[in-house]
Amino acid sequence: MSQHSDRIAPHGGILVNRIATLDQRQEFFDKAEVLPRVQLSDRSISDLQMIAIGALSPLKGFMNEADYRSVVKQMRLSNGLPWSVPITLSVTQAVADTLKEGTLVRLDSPAGEFVGLLELAEKYHYSKEEEALNVYRTDDLKHPGVQVVDKSGPVNLAGDIWLLERELDVRFPQYQIDPAKSRMLFTEKGWKTIVGFQTRNPIHRAHEYIQKCALEIVDGLFLHPLVGTTKEDDIPADVRMRCYEILLEKYYPKDRVILAINPAAMRYAGPREAIFHALIRKNYGCTHFIVGRDHAGVGDYYGTYDAQHIFDEFEPGELGIVPMKFEHAFYCKLTEQMATTKTSPSTPEQRVHLSGTKVREMLRAGKLPPPQFSRPEVAAELAKAMNIFNYEI
């Protein structure tokens, strides 16, 4: 049974909390100078935070070999629980050789600051090629996720972690809503059904359309943009957040939407990451999750709806969150509204297809996306942020 009385149990039944107490912090600081150190990458910092706040429940730390191999090959933890993306801490052989299983390891940020502890339980080698081909469906080094695997050390460190302190994200302090708090907010609002929406792109009219379709069915929308590490050519998180604020202020019912940041790093693992994103939102308390066109995709590595089909590989109810699958939405010139092929009688020539990639391309070319593409206030904000040209509504 879940320890939670709210709407949906966390994945595995218990919401993990690995944030050190004041007493633990003092104890850890007392030991800090004598402990061996491992410096984390930006992605590992995100993973550390996500584990600590319970967003990756039931994980309490970086995966051991049994869980890692089971996840890579079968999309399940070694106990059979669905899980689609390995959460690992990789180091060089030289670093691994200095560490002893059964001891504490100090975790430092890329800047060298003491941020957490690893209770080192296991060290193991792994196949980068096997991970790339299974998780990303390619070993092409042009793929950003495969690049990370390729540059990682050959040894994974496993064990439970402690985050020294849950610091506020200074960029978006009012939107830092961790799983325990989001669950509390949903309960306070009386929402029984909540749909989560994942995005790393500025929000455009196709996103707005599918979100509002979902809102016709559920009680609330949890708009949950990812603000961890993304590709260099993705639009920065602060710009995207301003776009969401503009939209919510003018175009959404205020009492039915919560905007919050997702501190995860993007992996660009397409279908597998769609499952991963759904399980994260389950931990935040969502009952439903929107899966659109090419979810978490990059380039042409995945089929348009592969991220929807992968949900069918699990038994109904096994994931514990309901995927809401939407076709690619477009602006229909015939009916003069947003639609999909399910609802529009238009021919392909009568459709204006939207994507975050197209928005970026238009802005870089000095063109403002048309209102069928993007709300004018949002387009202006993007243009201003990208210094393309001065444009006023």
Side-chain angles (χ1 to χ4, degrees):
M1 283 294 290
S2 166
Q3 65 174 8
H4 288 261
S5 59
D6 46 9
R7 312 303 177 194
I8 183 171
H11 200 47
I14 294 174
L15 193 67
V16 167
N17 177 1
R18 302 294 294 183
I19 303 170
T21 63
L22 284 173
D23 287 347
Q24 284 174 315
R25 280 185 66 198
Q26 189 56 55
E27 179 191 339
F28 296 155
F29 268 115
D30 290 344
K31 298 176 180 174
E33 291 307 313
V34 296
L35 292 176
R37 304 183 187 197
V38 167
Q39 194 164 45
L40 301 179
S41 64
D42 286 336
R43 185 163 101 171
S44 294
I45 286 274
S46 283
D47 288 346
L48 177 74
Q49 293 172 347
M50 293 285 283
I51 294 166
I53 64 176
L56 301 187
S57 296
L59 303 188
K60 294 179 182 176
F62 294 103
M63 285 182 178
N64 62 30
E65 186 171 12
D67 280 337
Y68 169 80
R69 297 202 181 285
S70 183
V71 166
V72 167
K73 291 179 180 172
Q74 299 167 333
M75 288 197 295
R76 293 177 185 278
L77 297 171
S78 57
N79 65 2
L81 194 69
W83 196 271
S84 56
V85 170
I87 305 296
T88 53
L89 177 57
S90 304
V91 295
T92 63
Q93 187 67 56
V95 168
D97 289 343
T98 67
L99 305 175
K100 186 179 176 187
E101 292 169 351
T103 62
L104 291 176
V105 176
R106 168 176 161 167
L107 302 177
D108 284 0
S109 71
E113 296 163 341
F114 181 25
V115 292
L117 277 176
L118 171 70
E119 298 173 354
L120 182 60
E122 196 179 342
K123 302 183 286 186
Y124 60 94
H125 290 86
Y126 66 102
S127 165
K128 293 184 180 185
E129 183 183 23
E130 188 175 78
E131 180 174 330
L133 290 173
N134 280 278
V135 177
Y136 298 101
R137 299 189 180 181
T138 179
D139 57 3
D140 184 355
L141 288 174
K142 291 177 184 164
H143 187 293
V146 175
Q147 280 177 24
V148 172
V149 174
D150 181 63
K151 290 174 183 173
S152 298
V155 182
N156 284 341
L157 305 180
D160 292 354
I161 59 90
W162 290 103
L163 179 67
L164 211 57
E165 184 179 7
R166 181 63 174 135
E167 296 177 343
L168 270 183
D169 188 316
V170 294
R171 301 170 299 169
F172 323 109
Q174 72 272 39
Y175 298 118
Q176 185 167 302
I177 300 172
D178 290 344
K181 186 176 178 185
S182 59
R183 289 169 165 273
M184 186 178 70
L185 289 173
F186 299 159
T187 302
E188 284 175 3
K189 286 179 174 288
W191 293 353
K192 292 186 174 141
T193 50
I194 304 101
V195 65
F197 185 82
Q198 151 71 30
T199 174
R200 72 174 198 268
N201 281 316
I203 209 157
H204 52 63
R205 294 292 294 275
H207 293 149
E208 183 182 337
Y209 173 73
I210 61 176
Q211 288 169 12
K212 287 179 174 175
C213 285
L215 261 179
E216 294 286 0
I217 300 165
V218 299
D219 298 333
L221 168 67
F222 190 52
L223 182 55
H224 205 206
L226 182 145
V227 299
T229 311
T230 57
K231 295 191 283 82
E232 285 183 6
D233 63 343
D234 279 346
I235 288 175
D238 59 328
V239 177
R240 291 184 278 123
M241 289 298 287
R242 285 201 300 276
C243 293
Y244 305 140
E245 288 173 334
I246 289 166
L247 264 182
L248 294 183
E249 182 63 35
K250 194 166 180 180
Y251 296 106
Y252 283 70
K254 289 184 173 53
D255 60 343
R256 296 195 60 213
V257 185
I258 292 174
L259 173 63
I261 55 171
N262 174 13
M266 271 302 293
R267 283 164 161 83
Y268 303 95
R272 285 229 189 185
E273 194 158 9
I275 299 288
F276 181 59
H277 284 162
L279 295 177
I280 288 171
R281 277 32 179 246
K282 175 186 176 184
N283 284 328
Y284 275 86
C286 295
T287 56
H288 295 68
F289 181 64
I290 291 171
V291 187
R293 166 192 156 274
D294 195 25
H295 185 106
V298 61
D300 297 318
Y301 292 102
Y302 312 111
T304 306
Y305 296 108
D306 283 359
Q308 296 182 358
H309 302 325
I310 196 170
F311 282 83
D312 300 331
E313 295 181 29
F314 296 89
E315 293 297 320
E318 199 176 15
L319 295 174
I321 186 167
V322 179
M324 298 181 84
K325 301 174 182 179
F326 285 94
E327 291 202 1
H328 191 190
F330 49 80
Y331 181 81
C332 171
K333 295 177 182 176
L334 185 68
T335 58
E336 298 183 337
Q337 62 188 8
M338 296 301 301
T340 71
T341 53
K342 287 183 174 179
T343 54
S344 169
S346 59
T347 61
E349 297 75 34
Q350 294 170 309
R351 300 167 187 168
V352 180
H353 283 281
L354 329 176
S355 75
T357 305
K358 279 189 182 176
V359 169
R360 289 197 299 272
E361 286 171 357
M362 291 180 82
L363 289 166
R364 287 199 186 97
K367 297 175 186 171
L368 205 70
Q372 297 90 344
F373 228 97
S374 188
R375 295 287 187 185
E377 299 92 338
V378 172
E381 185 62 38
L382 289 170
K384 183 175 82 175
M386 296 183 75
N387 293 319
I388 302 300
F389 43 63
N390 291 323
Y391 175 81
E392 294 180 4
I393 299 296

